[in-house]
PDB file of all heavy atoms in Angstrom:
ATOM      1  N   LYS G 228     -29.272  -6.646 -25.834  1.00 98.00           N
ATOM      2  CA  LYS G 228     -28.758  -7.961 -26.202  1.00 98.00           C
ATOM      3  C   LYS G 228     -29.812  -8.710 -27.000  1.00 98.00           C
ATOM      4  O   LYS G 228     -31.024  -8.482 -26.843  1.00 98.00           O
ATOM      5  CB  LYS G 228     -28.335  -8.758 -24.976  1.00 98.00           C
ATOM      6  CG  LYS G 228     -29.440  -9.209 -24.042  1.00 98.00           C
ATOM      7  CD  LYS G 228     -28.845 -10.142 -22.958  1.00 98.00           C
ATOM      8  CE  LYS G 228     -29.881 -10.497 -21.906  1.00 98.00           C
ATOM      9  NZ  LYS G 228     -30.068  -9.420 -20.922  1.00 98.00           N
ATOM     10  N   TRP G 230     -30.784 -12.748 -28.083  1.00 98.00           N
ATOM     11  CA  TRP G 230     -30.600 -14.195 -28.046  1.00 98.00           C
ATOM     12  C   TRP G 230     -31.369 -14.799 -29.221  1.00 98.00           C
ATOM     13  O   TRP G 230     -32.270 -14.165 -29.781  1.00 98.00           O
ATOM     14  CB  TRP G 230     -31.116 -14.764 -26.721  1.00 98.00           C
ATOM     15  CG  TRP G 230     -30.287 -14.387 -25.528  1.00 98.00           C
ATOM     16  CD1 TRP G 230     -29.001 -13.941 -25.533  1.00 98.00           C
ATOM     17  CD2 TRP G 230     -30.691 -14.406 -24.155  1.00 98.00           C
ATOM     18  NE1 TRP G 230     -28.569 -13.685 -24.250  1.00 98.00           N
ATOM     19  CE2 TRP G 230     -29.585 -13.982 -23.382  1.00 98.00           C
ATOM     20  CE3 TRP G 230     -31.869 -14.758 -23.495  1.00 98.00           C
ATOM     21  CZ2 TRP G 230     -29.632 -13.887 -21.992  1.00 98.00           C
ATOM     22  CZ3 TRP G 230     -31.921 -14.676 -22.107  1.00 98.00           C
ATOM     23  CH2 TRP G 230     -30.814 -14.247 -21.366  1.00 98.00           C
ATOM     24  N   HIS G 262     -25.289 -12.325 -28.782  1.00 98.00           N
ATOM     25  CA  HIS G 262     -24.705 -13.369 -27.940  1.00 98.00           C
ATOM     26  C   HIS G 262     -24.493 -14.675 -28.698  1.00 98.00           C
ATOM     27  O   HIS G 262     -23.713 -15.513 -28.261  1.00 98.00           O
ATOM     28  CB  HIS G 262     -25.604 -13.638 -26.731  1.00 98.00           C
ATOM     29  CG  HIS G 262     -25.499 -12.620 -25.645  1.00 98.00           C
ATOM     30  ND1 HIS G 262     -25.318 -12.947 -24.319  1.00 98.00           N
ATOM     31  CD2 HIS G 262     -25.565 -11.262 -25.670  1.00 98.00           C
ATOM     32  CE1 HIS G 262     -25.276 -11.850 -23.585  1.00 98.00           C
ATOM     33  NE2 HIS G 262     -25.428 -10.810 -24.385  1.00 98.00           N
ATOM     34  N   SER G 264     -26.448 -17.205 -28.876  1.00 98.00           N
ATOM     35  CA  SER G 264     -26.836 -18.252 -27.931  1.00 98.00           C
ATOM     36  C   SER G 264     -28.316 -18.053 -27.607  1.00 98.00           C
ATOM     37  O   SER G 264     -28.905 -17.017 -27.957  1.00 98.00           O
ATOM     38  CB  SER G 264     -25.987 -18.155 -26.657  1.00 98.00           C
ATOM     39  OG  SER G 264     -26.327 -19.173 -25.733  1.00 98.00           O
ATOM     40  N   ASP G 265     -28.909 -19.029 -26.929  1.00 98.00           N
ATOM     41  CA  ASP G 265     -30.279 -18.883 -26.446  1.00 98.00           C
ATOM     42  C   ASP G 265     -30.317 -18.284 -25.047  1.00 98.00           C
ATOM     43  O   ASP G 265     -31.392 -18.017 -24.513  1.00 98.00           O
ATOM     44  CB  ASP G 265     -30.981 -20.253 -26.405  1.00 98.00           C
ATOM     45  CG  ASP G 265     -31.193 -20.839 -27.786  1.00 98.00           C
ATOM     46  OD1 ASP G 265     -31.283 -20.073 -28.764  1.00 98.00           O
ATOM     47  OD2 ASP G 265     -31.272 -22.089 -27.878  1.00 98.00           O
ATOM     48  N   THR G 266     -29.148 -18.107 -24.443  1.00 98.00           N
ATOM     49  CA  THR G 266     -29.050 -17.607 -23.078  1.00 98.00           C
ATOM     50  C   THR G 266     -27.735 -16.844 -22.930  1.00 98.00           C
ATOM     51  O   THR G 266     -27.075 -16.530 -23.925  1.00 98.00           O
ATOM     52  CB  THR G 266     -29.176 -18.772 -22.073  1.00 98.00           C
ATOM     53  OG1 THR G 266     -29.229 -18.240 -20.739  1.00 98.00           O
ATOM     54  CG2 THR G 266     -28.013 -19.737 -22.190  1.00 98.00           C
ATOM     55  N   TRP G 267     -27.344 -16.563 -21.686  1.00 98.00           N
ATOM     56  CA  TRP G 267     -26.158 -15.755 -21.426  1.00 98.00           C
ATOM     57  C   TRP G 267     -24.906 -16.353 -22.068  1.00 98.00           C
ATOM     58  O   TRP G 267     -24.615 -17.541 -21.916  1.00 98.00           O
ATOM     59  CB  TRP G 267     -25.908 -15.634 -19.930  1.00 98.00           C
ATOM     60  CG  TRP G 267     -27.058 -15.075 -19.166  1.00 98.00           C
ATOM     61  CD1 TRP G 267     -27.987 -15.783 -18.456  1.00 98.00           C
ATOM     62  CD2 TRP G 267     -27.414 -13.699 -19.042  1.00 98.00           C
ATOM     63  NE1 TRP G 267     -28.898 -14.918 -17.884  1.00 98.00           N
ATOM     64  CE2 TRP G 267     -28.571 -13.636 -18.222  1.00 98.00           C
ATOM     65  CE3 TRP G 267     -26.863 -12.509 -19.529  1.00 98.00           C
ATOM     66  CZ2 TRP G 267     -29.195 -12.435 -17.889  1.00 98.00           C
ATOM     67  CZ3 TRP G 267     -27.483 -11.315 -19.193  1.00 98.00           C
ATOM     68  CH2 TRP G 267     -28.618 -11.284 -18.389  1.00 98.00           C
ATOM     69  N   ALA G 268     -24.154 -15.516 -22.740  1.00 98.00           N
ATOM     70  CA  ALA G 268     -22.829 -15.886 -23.252  1.00 98.00           C
ATOM     71  C   ALA G 268     -21.803 -14.983 -22.577  1.00 98.00           C
ATOM     72  O   ALA G 268     -21.983 -13.767 -22.532  1.00 98.00           O
ATOM     73  CB  ALA G 268     -22.760 -15.727 -24.768  1.00 98.00           C
ATOM     74  N   ASP G 269     -20.749 -15.586 -22.031  1.00 98.00           N
ATOM     75  CA  ASP G 269     -19.717 -14.849 -21.314  1.00 98.00           C
ATOM     76  C   ASP G 269     -18.454 -15.701 -21.313  1.00 98.00           C
ATOM     77  O   ASP G 269     -18.436 -16.772 -21.941  1.00 98.00           O
ATOM     78  CB  ASP G 269     -20.192 -14.489 -19.907  1.00 98.00           C
ATOM     79  CG  ASP G 269     -20.636 -15.694 -19.093  1.00 98.00           C
ATOM     80  OD1 ASP G 269     -19.912 -16.713 -19.096  1.00 98.00           O
ATOM     81  OD2 ASP G 269     -21.695 -15.622 -18.443  1.00 98.00           O
ATOM     82  N   LYS G 272     -19.129 -19.438 -20.570  1.00 98.00           N
ATOM     83  CA  LYS G 272     -20.071 -20.247 -21.358  1.00 98.00           C
ATOM     84  C   LYS G 272     -20.393 -19.549 -22.676  1.00 98.00           C
ATOM     85  O   LYS G 272     -20.705 -18.356 -22.698  1.00 98.00           O
ATOM     86  CB  LYS G 272     -21.342 -20.518 -20.570  1.00 98.00           C
ATOM     87  CG  LYS G 272     -21.999 -19.309 -19.951  1.00 98.00           C
ATOM     88  CD  LYS G 272     -23.155 -19.723 -19.031  1.00 98.00           C
ATOM     89  CE  LYS G 272     -23.782 -18.526 -18.339  1.00 98.00           C
ATOM     90  NZ  LYS G 272     -22.829 -17.830 -17.440  1.00 98.00           N
ATOM     91  N   GLN G 273     -20.304 -20.301 -23.729  1.00 98.00           N
ATOM     92  CA  GLN G 273     -20.640 -19.831 -25.076  1.00 98.00           C
ATOM     93  C   GLN G 273     -21.382 -20.978 -25.770  1.00 98.00           C
ATOM     94  O   GLN G 273     -20.885 -21.616 -26.691  1.00 98.00           O
ATOM     95  CB  GLN G 273     -19.373 -19.434 -25.843  1.00 98.00           C
ATOM     96  CG  GLN G 273     -18.628 -18.242 -25.280  1.00 98.00           C
ATOM     97  CD  GLN G 273     -19.275 -16.910 -25.636  1.00 98.00           C
ATOM     98  OE1 GLN G 273     -20.008 -16.793 -26.620  1.00 98.00           O
ATOM     99  NE2 GLN G 273     -19.014 -15.884 -24.826  1.00 98.00           N
ATOM    100  N   THR G 274     -22.603 -21.225 -25.289  1.00 98.00           N
ATOM    101  CA  THR G 274     -23.368 -22.383 -25.736  1.00 98.00           C
ATOM    102  C   THR G 274     -24.112 -22.079 -27.028  1.00 98.00           C
ATOM    103  O   THR G 274     -24.839 -21.083 -27.118  1.00 98.00           O
ATOM    104  CB  THR G 274     -24.384 -22.791 -24.646  1.00 98.00           C
ATOM    105  OG1 THR G 274     -23.687 -22.979 -23.414  1.00 98.00           O
ATOM    106  CG2 THR G 274     -25.095 -24.071 -25.041  1.00 98.00           C
ATOM    107  N   TRP G 478     -24.072  -1.214 -17.250  1.00 98.00           N
ATOM    108  CA  TRP G 478     -24.743  -2.488 -17.502  1.00 98.00           C
ATOM    109  C   TRP G 478     -26.005  -2.661 -16.663  1.00 98.00           C
ATOM    110  O   TRP G 478     -25.966  -2.619 -15.442  1.00 98.00           O
ATOM    111  CB  TRP G 478     -23.809  -3.688 -17.269  1.00 98.00           C
ATOM    112  CG  TRP G 478     -24.418  -4.914 -17.894  1.00 98.00           C
ATOM    113  CD1 TRP G 478     -24.549  -5.183 -19.243  1.00 98.00           C
ATOM    114  CD2 TRP G 478     -25.035  -6.002 -17.214  1.00 98.00           C
ATOM    115  NE1 TRP G 478     -25.203  -6.367 -19.429  1.00 98.00           N
ATOM    116  CE2 TRP G 478     -25.515  -6.896 -18.210  1.00 98.00           C
ATOM    117  CE3 TRP G 478     -25.234  -6.307 -15.875  1.00 98.00           C
ATOM    118  CZ2 TRP G 478     -26.172  -8.085 -17.909  1.00 98.00           C
ATOM    119  CZ3 TRP G 478     -25.897  -7.493 -15.559  1.00 98.00           C
ATOM    120  CH2 TRP G 478     -26.352  -8.369 -16.573  1.00 98.00           C
ATOM    121  N   GLU G 479     -27.097  -2.848 -17.366  1.00 98.00           N
ATOM    122  CA  GLU G 479     -28.430  -3.158 -16.851  1.00 98.00           C
ATOM    123  C   GLU G 479     -28.960  -2.110 -15.868  1.00 98.00           C
ATOM    124  O   GLU G 479     -29.223  -2.383 -14.701  1.00 98.00           O
ATOM    125  CB  GLU G 479     -28.462  -4.570 -16.266  1.00 98.00           C
ATOM    126  CG  GLU G 479     -28.651  -5.632 -17.336  1.00 98.00           C
ATOM    127  CD  GLU G 479     -29.985  -5.511 -18.075  1.00 98.00           C
ATOM    128  OE1 GLU G 479     -30.744  -4.550 -17.854  1.00 98.00           O
ATOM    129  OE2 GLU G 479     -30.274  -6.391 -18.902  1.00 98.00           O
ATOM    130  N   TRP G 482     -32.617  -3.071 -14.476  1.00 98.00           N
ATOM    131  CA  TRP G 482     -32.930  -4.395 -13.940  1.00 98.00           C
ATOM    132  C   TRP G 482     -33.250  -4.309 -12.456  1.00 98.00           C
ATOM    133  O   TRP G 482     -32.460  -4.685 -11.598  1.00 98.00           O
ATOM    134  CB  TRP G 482     -31.781  -5.366 -14.199  1.00 98.00           C
ATOM    135  CG  TRP G 482     -32.229  -6.800 -14.146  1.00 98.00           C
ATOM    136  CD1 TRP G 482     -33.479  -7.270 -13.908  1.00 98.00           C
ATOM    137  CD2 TRP G 482     -31.400  -7.952 -14.345  1.00 98.00           C
ATOM    138  NE1 TRP G 482     -33.496  -8.645 -13.944  1.00 98.00           N
ATOM    139  CE2 TRP G 482     -32.241  -9.084 -14.217  1.00 98.00           C
ATOM    140  CE3 TRP G 482     -30.054  -8.131 -14.606  1.00 98.00           C
ATOM    141  CZ2 TRP G 482     -31.744 -10.385 -14.342  1.00 98.00           C
ATOM    142  CZ3 TRP G 482     -29.568  -9.414 -14.737  1.00 98.00           C
ATOM    143  CH2 TRP G 482     -30.404 -10.526 -14.611  1.00 98.00           C
ATOM    144  N   GLY G 489     -35.959 -12.792 -13.283  1.00 95.00           N
ATOM    145  CA  GLY G 489     -34.714 -13.214 -12.674  1.00 95.00           C
ATOM    146  C   GLY G 489     -33.658 -13.582 -13.697  1.00 95.00           C
ATOM    147  O   GLY G 489     -33.808 -13.360 -14.898  1.00 95.00           O
ATOM    148  N   TRP G 490     -32.583 -14.183 -13.176  1.00 94.00           N
ATOM    149  CA  TRP G 490     -31.439 -14.504 -14.022  1.00 94.00           C
ATOM    150  C   TRP G 490     -31.746 -15.559 -15.078  1.00 94.00           C
ATOM    151  O   TRP G 490     -31.261 -15.476 -16.198  1.00 94.00           O
ATOM    152  CB  TRP G 490     -30.284 -15.018 -13.136  1.00 94.00           C
ATOM    153  CG  TRP G 490     -29.476 -13.919 -12.556  1.00 94.00           C
ATOM    154  CD1 TRP G 490     -29.622 -13.346 -11.332  1.00 94.00           C
ATOM    155  CD2 TRP G 490     -28.400 -13.216 -13.193  1.00 94.00           C
ATOM    156  NE1 TRP G 490     -28.699 -12.339 -11.155  1.00 94.00           N
ATOM    157  CE2 TRP G 490     -27.936 -12.239 -12.291  1.00 94.00           C
ATOM    158  CE3 TRP G 490     -27.778 -13.323 -14.437  1.00 94.00           C
ATOM    159  CZ2 TRP G 490     -26.888 -11.381 -12.580  1.00 94.00           C
ATOM    160  CZ3 TRP G 490     -26.740 -12.465 -14.730  1.00 94.00           C
ATOM    161  CH2 TRP G 490     -26.304 -11.503 -13.810  1.00 94.00           C
ATOM    162  N   ASP G 491     -32.498 -16.576 -14.696  1.00 95.00           N
ATOM    163  CA  ASP G 491     -32.655 -17.745 -15.558  1.00 95.00           C
ATOM    164  C   ASP G 491     -33.902 -17.610 -16.422  1.00 95.00           C
ATOM    165  O   ASP G 491     -35.027 -17.644 -15.901  1.00 95.00           O
ATOM    166  CB  ASP G 491     -32.744 -19.004 -14.694  1.00 95.00           C
ATOM    167  CG  ASP G 491     -32.748 -20.284 -15.512  1.00 95.00           C
ATOM    168  OD1 ASP G 491     -32.885 -20.208 -16.752  1.00 95.00           O
ATOM    169  OD2 ASP G 491     -32.624 -21.361 -14.901  1.00 95.00           O
ATOM    170  N   PRO G 492     -33.766 -17.474 -17.734  1.00 95.00           N
ATOM    171  CA  PRO G 492     -34.964 -17.313 -18.579  1.00 95.00           C
ATOM    172  C   PRO G 492     -35.872 -18.532 -18.555  1.00 95.00           C
ATOM    173  O   PRO G 492     -37.048 -18.436 -18.909  1.00 95.00           O
ATOM    174  CB  PRO G 492     -34.373 -17.077 -19.978  1.00 95.00           C
ATOM    175  CG  PRO G 492     -33.000 -17.653 -19.923  1.00 95.00           C
ATOM    176  CD  PRO G 492     -32.526 -17.465 -18.520  1.00 95.00           C
TER     177      PRO G 492
END
Side-chain angles (χ1 to χ4, degrees):
K228 68 173 174 281
W230 291 341
H262 282 229
S264 181
D265 293 334
T266 186
W267 304 99
D269 56 46
K272 51 188 177 297
Q273 295 282 337
T274 306
W478 195 71
E479 278 297 6
W482 201 0
W490 276 95
D491 187 349

